[in-house]
């Protein structure tokens, strides 16, 4: 993440109370942000570094978290509805005995199971109906996993009961467990190959798993067996998404998997890969670490992401596990783009070497240092500001900066850079490398600092201020 505004003024830390939403990407990554807007094609959002936007096709859902309350997640609509299947028709008497007085009668169900072991068709139907009713009862109470258990127990006695298999897969689909949902559906297809419901739900499972090719195949199959307006609509949407994904072009090097929209110039992509490979070798030797898997880099020409011709500060680049960079209007790498790449790639190295446990001040301080920033411009403001009030504390900059206001974030970036500069000045880059290793295993940041640098937070704050005074302030 990169800051937009330069350090304008020294401000003390406070946390603003704007509500935070979580954008969940289809690859599982989560981005905490505010003012999330979904216009159907893009999801745009705000962080302390500015306003960004993502193509809707990579977003799984947005979880709204109003005023910090939990459990108010709103999931995106499923692509198709669940088929109406009722395994209990004709077994209403069983249903009434299996659940009564707001309780599941497990004794009664056990009795039915004993009878069903004799293998009679009627007894098997009864036990299926009883487990189905118990599952519905548990679902009403929000006990999804227990409901799944009920279906599984019923399927022991009636492995080829199509309604049970369909209902079980719908439970998984509603929880976004797309792989688990495919199991009962594949089983159902073996003995019921022409079921339109099986094809419809398989389409949902593949669509949810972002496998557009297979989703299209299944929904076409469903349409052929039983035309259905809803499936037709879902099929059209999947075909649109597939076309969009096909329009990505790909470039692959030893360490990077680059994706870009067809509109981006191939020379730009080649130039970017070249810069990234150079940065990779440099970071590998500086930090004594090699990321095991290729790092994903995505170039966007999307208008909504950031119009870089009007935003030369490159505020739009983000690293959410993949490096995402807006490159609209560029035909080749520029010095500013080179800084952005080094900054974002540093985040990937730091995140992986520390097993995701590096505090934000170290992440942002080191990323700025690696891109070539130094504290000369901000030292005066930092030292003056601190002279007037209580000293700043790095410890308060460990967690997410998403809720910091622009001015406070500006201070946070500047002070973090100064702290990293001071560490490198004192012990060299090998100190940073050792600190990252310790972070991966230590119980806290401060414990990792003590093990690797032999200082605590108070020492580091002091060391940083002393460094700024000595180095920059006369
Ligand atoms: Zn950053």
């Amino acid at each position: 993440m990169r800051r937009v505004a330069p350090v304008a003024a020294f401000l003390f830390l406070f946390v603003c109370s704007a509500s935070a939403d979580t954008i969940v990407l289809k690859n599982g990554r989560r981005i905490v942000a505010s003012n999330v807007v979904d216009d159907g094609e893009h999801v745009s959002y705000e962080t302390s570094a500015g306003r960004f936007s993502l193509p809707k096709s990579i977003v799984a859902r947005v979880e709204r978290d109003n005023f910090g309350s939990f459990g108010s997640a709103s999931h995106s609509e499923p692509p198709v509805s669940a088929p109406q299947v009722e395994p209990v028709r004709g077994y209403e008497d069983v249903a009434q005995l299996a659940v009564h007085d707001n309780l599941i009668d497990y004794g009664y169900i056990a009795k039915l199971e004993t009878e069903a072991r004799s293998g009679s068709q009627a007894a098997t139907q009864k036990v299926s109906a009883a487990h189905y009713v118990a599952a519905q009862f548990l679902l009403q109470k929000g006990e999804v996993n227990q409901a799944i258990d009920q279906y599984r127990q019923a399927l022991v006695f009636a492995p080829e009961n199509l309604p049970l298999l369909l209902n079980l897969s719908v439970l998984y689909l509603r929880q976004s467990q797309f792989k688990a949902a495919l199991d009962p559906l594949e089983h159902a297809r073996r003995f019921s190959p022409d079921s339109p419901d099986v094809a419809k739900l398989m389409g949902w499972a593949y669509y949810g798993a972002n496998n557009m090719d297979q989703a299209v195949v299944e929904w076409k199959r469903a349409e052929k067996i039983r035309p259905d307006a809803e499936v037709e609509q879902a099929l059209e949407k999947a075909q649109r998404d597939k076309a969009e994904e096909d329009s990505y072009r790909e470039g692959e090097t030893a360490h990077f998997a680059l994706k870009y929209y067809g509109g981006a110039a191939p020379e730009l992509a080649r130039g970017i890969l070249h810069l990234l490979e150079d940065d990779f070798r440099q970071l590998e030797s500086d930090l004594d670490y090699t990321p095991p898997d290729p790092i994903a880099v995505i170039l966007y020409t999307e208008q909504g992401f950031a119009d870089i011709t009007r935003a030369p500060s490159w505020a739009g680049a983000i690293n959410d596990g993949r490096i995402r960079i807006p490159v609209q209007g560029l035909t080749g790498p520029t010095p500013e783009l080179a800084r952005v790449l080094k900054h974002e790639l540093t985040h990937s190295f730091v995140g992986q070497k520390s097993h995701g446990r590096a505090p934000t001040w170290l992440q942002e301080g080191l990323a700025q240092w690696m891109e070539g920033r130094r504290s000369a411009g901000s030292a005066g403001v930092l030292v003056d500001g601190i002279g007037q009030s209580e000293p700043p504390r790095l410890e308060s900059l460990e967690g997410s900066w998403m809720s910091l206001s622009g001015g406070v974030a500006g201070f946070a970036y500047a002070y973090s850079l100064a702290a990293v500069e001071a560490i490198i000045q004192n012990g060299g880059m090998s100190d940073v490398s050792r600190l990252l290793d310790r972070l991966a295993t230590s119980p806290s940041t401060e414990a990792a600092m003590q093990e690797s640098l032999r200082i605590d937070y108070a020492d580091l704050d002091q060391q940083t201020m002393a460094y700024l005074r000595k180095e920059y302030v006369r």
Side-chain angles (χ1 to χ4, degrees), residues 190-444:
R190 263 176 249 143
F191 62 84
S192 193
D194 291 328
S195 161
D197 289 328
V198 169
K200 180 179 174 180
L201 293 181
M202 276 195 163
W204 179 353
Y206 285 121
Y207 183 85
N210 213 19
N211 182 341
M212 294 305 152
D213 286 341
Q214 278 306 110
V216 166
V217 167
E218 289 299 335
W219 280 336
K220 275 187 175 162
R221 181 173 177 153
E223 278 289 275
K224 218 165 146 187
I225 304 168
R226 184 189 63 196
D228 173 339
E230 187 192 40
V231 172
E232 192 184 321
Q233 230 177 11
L235 176 60
E236 274 169 26
K237 171 126 183 30
Q239 281 169 327
R240 270 201 311 276
D241 284 5
K242 183 168 143 30
E244 189 181 335
E245 298 214 332
D246 289 347
S247 77
Y248 277 115
R249 290 199 212 149
E250 296 185 34
E252 198 95 27
T253 66
H255 303 119
F256 297 96
L258 181 82
K259 283 194 167 192
Y260 59 105
Y261 278 113
E267 313 83 72
L268 175 64
R270 275 198 297 276
I272 284 174
L273 281 173
H274 189 76
L275 285 171
L276 283 169
E277 283 293 336
D278 283 351
D279 291 342
F280 190 98
R281 275 190 291 276
Q282 179 92 52
L283 286 165
E284 206 178 16
S285 108
D286 279 351
L287 298 178
D288 190 23
Y289 177 75
T290 306
D293 296 319
I295 294 167
V297 181
I298 306 175
L299 308 184
Y300 292 94
T301 53
E302 292 295 288
Q303 192 75 35
F305 201 102
D307 183 350
I308 57 125
T309 55
R310 271 174 291 160
S313 65
W314 287 90
I318 55 171
N319 185 334
D320 57 3
R322 300 168 176 202
I323 298 176
R324 304 175 187 276
I325 307 161
V327 292
Q328 186 157 307
L330 278 193
T331 51
T334 61
E336 184 59 27
L337 175 58
R339 292 167 73 96
V340 172
L341 293 172
K342 187 83 180 274
H343 181 111
E344 299 302 333
L345 186 57
T346 305
H347 282 321
S348 296
F349 270 74
V350 170
Q352 291 191 38
K353 185 172 160 88
S354 70
H355 295 186
R357 299 185 60 195
T360 307
W361 65 261
L362 182 57
Q363 268 282 14
E364 295 301 343
L366 192 58
Q368 292 177 87
W369 196 93
M370 289 293 183
E371 65 163 292
R373 273 181 210 276
R374 295 295 180 267
S375 297
S378 54
V381 178
L382 286 172
V383 171
D384 284 353
I386 290 156
Q388 286 162 19
S389 187
E390 62 181 273
R393 291 167 46 244
L394 276 173
E395 195 171 4
S396 67
L397 300 176
E398 271 196 8
S400 168
W401 293 3
M402 292 298 186
S403 56
L404 300 184
S405 71
V408 178
F411 158 77
Y413 277 96
Y415 190 55
S416 298
L417 172 60
V420 168
E421 240 181 274
I423 292 172
I424 294 170
Q425 171 88 5
N426 261 329
M429 194 56 79
S430 59
D431 267 13
V432 176
S433 171
R434 274 210 319 281
L435 174 56
L436 291 172
D437 284 335
R438 290 295 180 173
L439 281 165
T441 53
S442 291
S444 70

